């Protein structure tokens, strides 16, 4: 009985620590390289996989006259900080089939 409880506890820990990427169809390469596919977003990555390297849109806060960050801006920024640093080093896109956001479909 104790072993079963231990296994259940370990499985729930693994499930709760799993990172779910909800943008760019869950494609971490595309998300960590280009950010969200939204021209009005308030942040975007500068270099992939570094986690804290990003640029804030000058039309958004902290500009005193800027628009506030949306819920998607905040959630995607949080995911960027947790998902993207997991890559140890940046990879490159090397596929003759097209741009990374177009393969296998647009995302």
């Amino acid at each position: 009985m104790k072993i079963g409880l231990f296994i259940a506890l370990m499985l729930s820990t693994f499930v709760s620590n799993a990172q779910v990427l909800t943008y760019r169809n869950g494609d971490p390469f595309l998300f960590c390289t280009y950010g969200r596919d939204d021209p009005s977003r308030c942040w975007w990555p500068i270099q992939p996989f570094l986690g804290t390297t990003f640029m804030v849109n000058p039309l958004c806060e902290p500009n005193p006259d800027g628009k506030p960050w949306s819920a998607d801006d905040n959630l995607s920024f949080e995911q960027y900080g947790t998902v993207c640093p997991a890559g140890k080093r940046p990879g490159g896109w090397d596929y003759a089939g097209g741009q990374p956001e177009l393969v296998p479909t647009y995302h």
Side-chain angles (χ1 to χ4, degrees):
M1 184 66 176
K2 290 181 182 180
I3 292 175
L5 183 60
F6 176 74
I7 291 172
L9 181 61
M10 292 303 292
L11 286 175
S12 68
T13 302
F14 292 137
V15 169
S16 66
N17 288 337
Q19 299 298 322
V20 177
L21 183 57
T22 57
Y23 299 95
R24 296 282 192 161
N25 288 348
D27 184 340
F29 173 81
L30 198 57
F31 177 73
C32 295
T33 304
Y34 301 110
R36 282 181 36 232
D37 182 26
D38 179 5
S40 67
R41 65 187 183 263
C42 284
W43 72 274
W44 56 88
I46 294 174
Q47 297 176 349
F49 310 108
L50 296 180
T52 58
T53 304
F54 64 96
M55 183 166 193
V56 174
N57 186 339
L59 301 176
C60 296
E61 292 177 341
N63 176 352
D65 297 324
K67 72 173 187 155
W69 283 36
S70 69
D72 276 331
D73 288 322
N74 288 313
L75 181 59
S76 64
F77 186 69
E78 181 181 323
Q79 290 182 9
Y80 180 69
T82 57
V83 171
C84 298
K88 300 298 180 198
R89 57 188 168 90
W93 180 252
D94 187 19
Y95 182 69
Q99 297 294 333
E101 61 271 13
L102 302 176
V103 177
T105 60
Y106 181 79
H107 61 291

